[in-house]
Amino acid sequence: MKKHFFIIALLFAGLSSNAQVQFLKSVSYRGAFAPSPTAMWTSGWANWDPQTTAYGNTTVTVSSDITTNTTWTKNNVYKLSGLIYIDSLVTLTIEPGTIIRGDSTVGNSSLIVRRGAKLNAIGTVAEPIVFTSQKSAGNRAPGNWGGIIILGKATYNGSGAFGGAGTGNIEGITASIKTTYGGSTSPDDNDNSGTLKYVRIEFGGFQLATNQEINGLTMGGVGRGTTIDYVQCSFIN
């Protein structure tokens, strides 16, 4: 008898009400992993003990918004210091194997993909892209930094202080025009905010106020043109 199982590991904020999101896959076994000798789909890129992993010292500090098309390369270790926005119509590309560390002295250090921007972080099984704490091995904890936030233009059935009906402001950050998500009067449910594939997000999660927090990966009004595949969020506040 075939079994159907759900694996849901991400928080969706303001998901389009008519979006076609499918998590079902027919299998002949019970659980998330096929029995031996089939390799687990987490093998090679996931990390179950990031507390002890040596990630290397940062070589590039990012402390201002990304305003032009930019590529982060694996020969550097990047530090996010504060809220870093990718401007609309701008693409940030991250090479496989790149390490990005969130500044633990600025608890809400985060990477925010604004509406109309793209984040293409495409790792591989052998070279995943890692977002993690700036703290040294053995001293990391959930909440050391914020996380990744993706804001799209898809249908949203609420209203917010910026942009009018059909938009909202993502939680965990003080509201501004930069934090808006949703399509306002012209939603685009096929909106593409980029691709995350073979990505790890570790030790994130920042609480701005009660019930107002940044998670490891937070999405608001993200369109179906966006690809989220093989993402591990671990040790998140």
Side-chain angles (χ1 to χ4, degrees):
M1 182 175 69
K2 291 184 177 180
K3 302 287 185 180
H4 297 277
F5 298 94
F6 284 98
I7 303 173
I8 301 178
L10 304 175
L11 172 67
F12 288 85
L15 185 66
S16 172
S17 59
N18 62 350
Q20 300 297 309
V21 182
Q22 297 189 20
F23 293 99
L24 287 174
K25 181 179 179 179
S26 296
V27 296
S28 59
Y29 55 88
R30 180 174 297 175
F33 302 102
S36 180
T38 302
M40 293 194 296
W41 53 267
T42 55
S43 295
W45 66 275
N47 185 353
W48 308 109
D49 187 21
Q51 181 63 261
T52 61
T53 302
Y55 284 120
N57 295 325
T58 56
T59 58
V60 176
T61 297
V62 182
S63 57
S64 58
D65 292 351
I66 298 168
T67 59
T68 60
N69 291 341
T70 301
T71 298
W72 290 354
T73 56
K74 68 178 182 179
N75 61 301
N76 288 309
V77 177
Y78 295 83
K79 180 171 74 171
L80 298 175
S81 184
L83 299 175
I84 308 300
Y85 293 88
I86 306 173
D87 278 357
S88 297
L89 305 180
V90 170
T91 298
L92 171 63
T93 302
I94 304 179
E95 286 186 350
T98 304
I99 306 298
I100 303 96
R101 306 185 69 170
D103 188 347
S104 57
T105 65
V106 185
N108 61 345
S109 292
S110 299
L111 183 64
I112 303 105
V113 184
R114 293 185 60 186
R115 291 190 304 173
K118 286 187 175 67
L119 172 61
N120 287 326
I122 305 174
T124 67
V125 171
E127 293 188 301
I129 294 166
V130 181
F131 290 81
T132 191
S133 170
Q134 170 66 9
K135 287 186 176 291
S136 60
N139 296 301
R140 300 164 187 152
N144 280 165
W145 65 293
I148 300 173
I149 300 172
I150 304 177
L151 307 175
K153 299 179 180 179
T155 303
Y156 169 65
N157 63 351
S159 61
F162 299 88
T167 62
N169 293 98
I170 204 68
E171 66 176 79
I173 305 175
T174 301
S176 74
I177 193 66
K178 290 182 176 182
T179 68
T180 302
Y181 65 91
S184 189
T185 57
S186 301
D188 179 9
D189 290 343
N190 294 314
D191 185 38
N192 181 358
S193 296
T195 299
L196 268 65
K197 188 169 186 178
Y198 293 113
V199 173
R200 298 205 308 262
I201 305 169
E202 305 164 351
F203 301 106
F206 172 79
Q207 187 175 52
L208 179 68
T210 302
N211 296 323
Q212 289 286 320
E213 67 272 339
I214 297 169
N215 297 275
L217 175 59
T218 305
M219 290 181 272
V222 173
R224 64 172 66 95
T226 307
T227 300
I228 308 292
D229 224 2
Y230 298 100
V231 172
Q232 181 189 24
C233 294
S234 62
F235 299 90
I236 305 297
N237 189 25

